């Protein structure tokens, strides 16, 4: 079993839709949770970083961590064509070694 | 503040050759990690260096090696290239916590 599981998609939504991206994990010791966005032919860029459980909001983006279910989510409100990218979740126990999901490909159609 | 830089950005090699990739981290970042990204496997951790010492290592064969210099710059070497080594190689740096990624080096092995 992989440490982190992420549905690869692809996911296609109309502009303005709410997008929900999810990851599940098996290691209950994970404490640090991240979402990265990767545009085609670019390196991943950090979108959200949370420690432990709960929600974190940044503009149109909300990251949610449910440690009891070993499940994390990224919500994108009012999705824009510029949000079209691959989204990767990442997790860590100590903040040093990170485990990445395989990424979900998102296309927002104008 | 300049981001993580990687050189070269694109590389074409033939089977059996060796290759050296270079990474310059963000100024002040002492941790440098390397990842291999392929469509099928996603992001796979190669190794991490901190203050010139390898701190963590992924499950890659000994053909993959790296080093870090006193100025925190890092190099990754792959010897005896195989077709399956074709991938995007990403370097990431950090103080502690989430990684900041470079744009990657796209290696094609023919």
């Amino acid at each position: 079993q992989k440490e982190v599981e992420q549905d690869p998609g692809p996911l296609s939504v109309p502009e303005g839709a709410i997008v929900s991206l999810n990851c599940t994990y098996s290691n209950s010791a994970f404490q640090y949770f991240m979402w990265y966005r990767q545009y085609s032919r670019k390196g991943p860029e950090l979108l959200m970083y949370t420690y432990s459980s709960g929600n974190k909001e940044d503009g149109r983006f909300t990251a949610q961590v449910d440690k009891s279910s070993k499940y994390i989510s990224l919500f994108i409100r009012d999705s824009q064509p510029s949000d079209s990218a691959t989204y990767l979740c990442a997790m860590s126990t100590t903040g040093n070694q990170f485990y990445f999901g395989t990424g979900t490909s998102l296309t927002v159609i104008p | 503040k300049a981001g993580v830089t990687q050189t070269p950005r694109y590389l074409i090699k033939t089977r059996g050759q060796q290759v050296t990739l270079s990474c310059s981290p963000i100024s002040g970042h002492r941790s440098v990690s390397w990842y291999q990204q392929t469509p099928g496997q996603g992001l796979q951790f190669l190794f991490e260096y901190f203050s010139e010492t390898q701190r963590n290592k992924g499950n890659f064969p000994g053909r993959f090696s790296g080093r870090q210099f006193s100025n925190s710059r890092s190099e990754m070497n792959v010897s005896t290239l195989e077709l399956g080594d074709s991938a995007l190689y990403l370097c990431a740096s950090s103080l502690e916590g989430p990684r900041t990624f470079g744009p990657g080096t796209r290696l094609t092995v023919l």
Side-chain angles (χ1 to χ4, degrees), chain A residues 2 34 36 38 41-46 49 86 88 95-98 100-102, chain B residues 9 35 37 41-43 45 48 55-56 88 90 96-99 101-103 106:
Chain A
K2 280 188 174 179
M34 288 135 284
Y36 285 83
Q38 185 175 22
R41 302 192 178 282
K42 303 276 188 183
E45 59 174 319
L46 183 67
Y49 175 50
T86 296
L88 299 134
N96 285 333
Q97 193 164 359
F98 293 82
F100 286 82
T102 51
Chain B
R9 292 292 313 278
Y35 295 85
Q37 188 177 38
Q41 298 295 318
L43 264 174
F45 173 70
E48 181 199 5
R55 184 157 74 171
N56 286 304
L88 181 67
L90 290 159
E96 291 294 343
R99 308 300 196 236
F101 284 87
R106 184 161 298 279

Side-chain angles (χ1 to χ4, degrees), chain A residues 37-99:
Chain A
R37 177 176 62 195
Q38 185 175 22
Y39 291 114
S40 181
R41 302 192 178 282
K42 303 276 188 183
E45 59 174 319
L46 183 67
L47 266 182
M48 302 287 278
Y49 175 50
T50 56
Y51 172 75
S52 195
S53 279
N55 294 357
K56 183 174 182 179
E57 192 172 314
D58 184 0
R60 298 184 295 110
F61 298 89
T62 299
Q64 197 171 74
V65 175
D66 182 348
K67 291 188 77 178
S68 62
S69 301
K70 297 194 185 74
Y71 189 89
I72 70 169
S73 301
L74 177 70
F75 297 97
I76 306 174
R77 289 184 302 281
D78 186 28
S79 55
Q80 303 294 308
S82 58
D83 295 328
S84 298
T86 296
Y87 290 80
L88 299 134
C89 61
M91 308 177 190
S92 176
T93 54
T94 61
N96 285 333
Q97 193 164 359
F98 293 82
Y99 298 85

